[in-house]
Amino acid sequence: MAAEQKQKVTQKKLAPHVYQALEDVVGKRWISEKRSLVETYSKLSIEGMTFVRKHRKDDTAVPACVVLPGTTGEVQSIVKVCNRYSVPFIPFTNGQVFSATTNDQPTLIIHLSRMNSIINIDTDNMVATLQAYVDYAQLQAEAMKHGLWNGGTPLATTVCKLSSQFSFAGLWQTDLKYGLLNRNLVSVKMVLPDGKILTVGSRCLPKAGDFWEYGPGPDLLGMQRGGAGSNGIVTEITVKLHPWAGDTTLPEVPHGRPSLEDVHEPKYDSPPPPANHRLHWIEFKDFSSQIKTMRDISHSGIAIGLNATGVYSAYYCSQTQEMTWERCKNKFFPDYNCYVIIAGITSAKQIDYEEKVLQKIVERNGGTFLTADHKPEVLEALKPWNLDCIRHTCGFRMNRKMYANAWLPTGPFEVGRQTQEFWSDALNAFGECDITDRGGADDTPFLYALQRGRFSFAEVDNYPDPTNPEEIQKAAGYGIYGMARLVKEKVCPCLMAFLSVEPFTTMFPEVGPNQHTLFQKIRRVFDPKGVNAPGRQVYTREEWENVPPMLKQWVNKMREMVGLESVQ
């Protein structure tokens, strides 16, 4: 053990002539192989195995170098250098997932943080063109000046980048009305793995401009979006805009902006809602009533956002981790609930009318509004939500240890029932990482209503201790079990392309079927040198042979656990 603790991790570095070629592209300031800097790119949110690799002192977790291009042309030149010298590279924005170094060769990180400008807001065609590192809060702040917005944001408005969500999720809190990011795309410019430029959408037609998401020929936009970032690097993205019902700026917290010394105080968590927006919280006696109400609200045509929160209320609305645990233990928040966002977009009377419709639906299904007379202490505790999907202050403490696994099955609202059942089975099989893991088993999963209730996402997650590799591996086991169970039960697809990234792509041939064979062919076309995020979406035959037997055995164990045959 003592010898293992003294084990030194040696950083693999690029050859001097390769480093110089990259420096010639971006300049000395925007490239570095300094160990203290590249280490910051060696661990990711959600992808827990990067933490395990760090615990194991696996030197493949440490990138060789990071380079920060400032333009599409610089990205293209960097990619050409990598092709010339067969250097694997990883596109990188916020480092949440699918960004891990996956190669035992010296690997380059291409971080797009300098490309953070809004290129254009077209008020006539209601679209915005953005560089790769523009976040949702930045876009909203600018679009509101024109009476527009993009229709929603994820919970982390200043962390999530629209360009990376093109290849990932694009899940918002107002999907009920506006749909996911994939329903709001118009055009994308990307550098392909061989250094060529690909433009998709209407802008690929001469003088057509950005107004429609389709261009001539095959739907390359859809194919590239499904590549989990392995088919190229998005450098520009054009998205739809929608009418904004609020003011040109968002309301400030009455207490002003916090400092680093007092940012933890709850007084900063509850800004006023935007103009012409209201938020309602409803609780239910059981899951059936909740699902019935959410379906009725969706189909009624009212509201812009509708979601069930479950244990997420404890994560987001507690100022300390200890408060999160205490509230989960004592069932402080309703087990079955939902919130409804109503906006007065077309008329000053719209909110009043929609609230009357909402009242009738809730009464008919036996729900109860949280009010000053019914559970006011819970309503007060929920204030940090306060339309966080469209605001830019503190809030959302995210009191949890490490986000290491997520299930997001897709389907009708009943998919929440199946998620609850499967998650309970996983808890019984593996045990808890944290008391919050009970969320989604003992109460409602996080349930997102999308596109007027035509379908929904149900979410459950694990939060292990990042300093405990055994706990992280347990959470990762949950993830593989979930994928296997969903495939076995033929329930539904899963958000965030988890079944389209390795080792799932090759080890779940039921999907497609044999989707990995198609992805291998696509990779050979777009990435003939195999340098762009190697092994992320699909293994080549050679890479498959080099996958550690232990990993294959681990996935096969989960397959067998749910009744699927082993993959040989």
Side-chain angles (χ1 to χ4, degrees), residues 513-542:
N514 295 311
Q515 64 171 345
H516 63 289
T517 57
L518 173 62
F519 290 162
Q520 286 173 349
K521 293 176 181 178
I522 292 173
R523 182 176 167 188
R524 284 196 292 270
V525 171
F526 284 94
D527 188 13
K529 291 289 188 69
V531 290
N532 185 16
R536 178 186 292 174
Q537 185 188 31
V538 66
Y539 292 131
T540 63
R541 291 307 306 172
E542 295 75 20

Side-chain angles (χ1 to χ4, degrees), residues 42-61:
S42 64
K43 293 186 295 186
L44 309 170
S45 170
I46 300 183
E47 212 292 297
M49 294 311 292
T50 58
F51 281 73
V52 174
R53 289 161 68 185
K54 298 292 286 183
H55 282 292
R56 291 176 177 170
K57 299 187 179 295
D58 182 346
D59 60 5
T60 63

